[in-house]
Amino acid sequence: MTHIEDAIANEAEAEITPKTRKQKLWNVVKTILKIAVTSALLYWVFSKVPFSEVKNRLINANYYWMLAGVAFYFLSMVASSWRLLSFFKSIDLRLNPRFNFRLYLLGIFYNLLLPGGIGGDGYKIYLLHKNYNFPTKKVFMAILFDRLSGLWAIGLIVVTLRIFIPLIPVSIPLLLVAFVVASGIYYIVVKIFFKDFTKHFFKGHLKAILVQSCQVITIICVLMGQDFHGKFAPYLLSFLLSALAAVLPISVGGAGIREYIFKILAGWLNMNVGLAVFLSISFYLISLVVALSGLYYVIRPSRLQKGLTKPEDVSN
């Protein structure tokens, strides 16, 4: 195992079971900082947008459409788990799909509801290394490319949405050329430096489009639940850009950052600011509902590994 692999394994294990007072203190400090950033951003947003307006929209929403939004978000998690399998297969890590999905649900629970300490990705690295002694660097890279494929898919949909938003001052041909060139460079870098991940590269990125499309439909469902009849594209674009910002691990599950981005873009894209912030809050609540399903595997950890592939069969 290389020094890089050691570092990744040690970091993941330290977050799972912090052994020193310094590690425990850092986990506490991270939690406090994330809560502080989230609180500050939400305070700023609701100093500009009356909370009562967002609350009234939530109370008076069409809950059939909201339930449909939950269903499509859950479907996006199924597709996301399926996408991750492609990148695991690239490193010859062949997990039972049902176990992988359970692990994925547990991961989003950790990511969204436990702001300090272990994150879902760190837990996957730790568990797969501990159970199978599988190189942590390879697992880390598979998860990294899984995330990169999601960012690429968001970029593709953002470029597509530009067609429907004339307010954006960047020309469509220029945007398309920039995206194609960037995608080409991305693939060349992978082919030269990370050749293993070219095995299922296109399959994984096609699945990423499915994941992001399901989440876009989630936002459309929430809008329909508000009896919305305006232009969808500005709200969808804002959602995708807020999703990019929420990748930064500086808040609790992206809360605060999404609302901030929606508020900033509302004036620029001529959106109803109350509806924009409501969309962000609704998406967080929907993701929270789905993430709570991972709590089951915290309470019943034995169910997580039911039907789990034997260690000697993982890379066969």
Side-chain angles (χ1 to χ4, degrees):
M1 182 179 289
T2 67
H3 292 301
I4 294 176
E5 290 172 328
D6 280 330
I8 295 170
N10 291 338
E11 183 177 351
E13 186 172 2
E15 287 205 351
I16 292 282
T17 54
K19 295 180 176 61
T20 68
R21 181 176 299 180
K22 183 178 179 181
Q23 289 169 341
K24 293 178 180 179
L25 178 61
W26 175 235
N27 282 345
V28 172
V29 170
K30 283 195 295 184
T31 302
I32 293 173
L33 288 175
K34 287 185 177 183
I35 293 174
V37 169
T38 300
S39 300
L41 289 173
L42 288 176
Y43 176 81
W44 182 86
V45 168
F46 286 114
S47 69
K48 309 293 182 182
V49 182
F51 180 76
S52 58
E53 180 179 349
V54 176
K55 182 181 71 173
N56 289 335
R57 285 186 176 277
L58 184 60
I59 292 173
N60 298 311
N62 182 322
Y63 284 94
Y64 290 108
W65 279 111
M66 296 293 283
L67 187 60
V70 173
F72 273 104
Y73 183 77
F74 184 80
L75 183 60
S76 79
M77 293 296 99
V78 175
S80 192
S81 170
W82 183 39
R83 176 187 67 188
L84 182 57
L85 279 178
S86 293
F87 292 101
F88 280 158
K89 287 178 182 177
S90 296
I91 58 172
D92 295 322
L93 176 58
R94 301 182 182 276
L95 298 179
N96 180 297
R98 289 175 296 176
F99 166 71
N100 184 62
F101 182 59
R102 296 184 193 114
L103 184 59
Y104 203 89
L105 289 179
L106 182 59
I108 63 173
F109 171 77
Y110 280 139
N111 282 337
L112 197 66
L113 297 175
L114 300 179
I118 180 62
D121 293 340
Y123 185 81
K124 291 169 194 170
I125 294 171
Y126 169 80
L127 185 68
L128 295 174
H129 172 66
K130 180 182 178 183
N131 282 13
Y132 304 118
N133 199 29
F134 206 86
T136 53
K137 182 182 177 182
K138 286 189 174 183
V139 179
F140 172 80
M141 293 306 299
I143 292 174
L144 175 62
F145 277 109
D146 178 68
R147 292 288 180 265
L148 289 175
S149 72
L151 297 179
W152 176 86
I154 289 176
L156 175 63
I157 299 174
V158 165
V159 171
T160 304
L161 287 173
R162 164 62 186 87
I163 299 171
F164 304 99
I165 309 177
L167 287 173
I168 298 178
V170 182
S171 69
I172 296 174
L174 179 61
L175 205 57
L176 284 171
V177 169
F179 180 77
V180 170
V181 170
S183 297
I185 294 173
Y186 170 42
Y187 180 74
I188 291 171
V189 170
V190 174
K191 193 171 181 62
I192 294 174
F193 297 103
F194 308 98
K195 194 171 183 179
D196 285 347
F197 292 98
T198 60
K199 297 176 185 176
H200 301 279
F201 183 87
F202 295 105
K203 185 185 295 184
H205 284 69
L206 285 174
K207 291 176 182 178
I209 295 174
L210 175 61
V211 172
Q212 299 305 328
S213 296
C214 287
Q215 295 198 8
V216 166
I217 296 174
T218 299
I219 293 299
I220 291 175
C221 288
V222 176
L223 283 168
M224 295 299 292
Q226 292 293 302
D227 195 28
F228 181 74
H229 298 289
K231 294 182 178 180
F232 287 87
Y235 293 93
L236 300 180
L237 176 65
S238 299
F239 163 70
L240 292 169
L241 294 178
S242 71
L244 289 175
V247 170
L248 298 173
I250 59 174
S251 70
V252 181
I257 296 179
R258 285 194 177 94
E259 290 73 20
Y260 176 80
I261 297 298
F262 266 101
K263 170 63 181 70
I264 293 297
L265 293 177
W268 183 41
L269 297 176
N270 294 328
M271 296 186 294
N272 180 303
V273 66
L275 177 58
V277 174
F278 167 76
L279 282 179
S280 180
I281 295 291
S282 294
F283 184 79
Y284 180 79
L285 292 176
I286 288 172
S287 60
L288 181 64
V289 168
V290 174
L292 282 172
S293 61
L295 177 61
Y296 177 73
Y297 300 110
V298 176
I299 299 173
R300 302 271 314 268
S302 61
R303 300 293 295 178
L304 175 67
Q305 300 190 29
K306 184 180 179 182
L308 181 59
T309 307
K310 295 179 181 179
E312 59 267 23
D313 297 330
V314 164
S315 58
N316 293 335

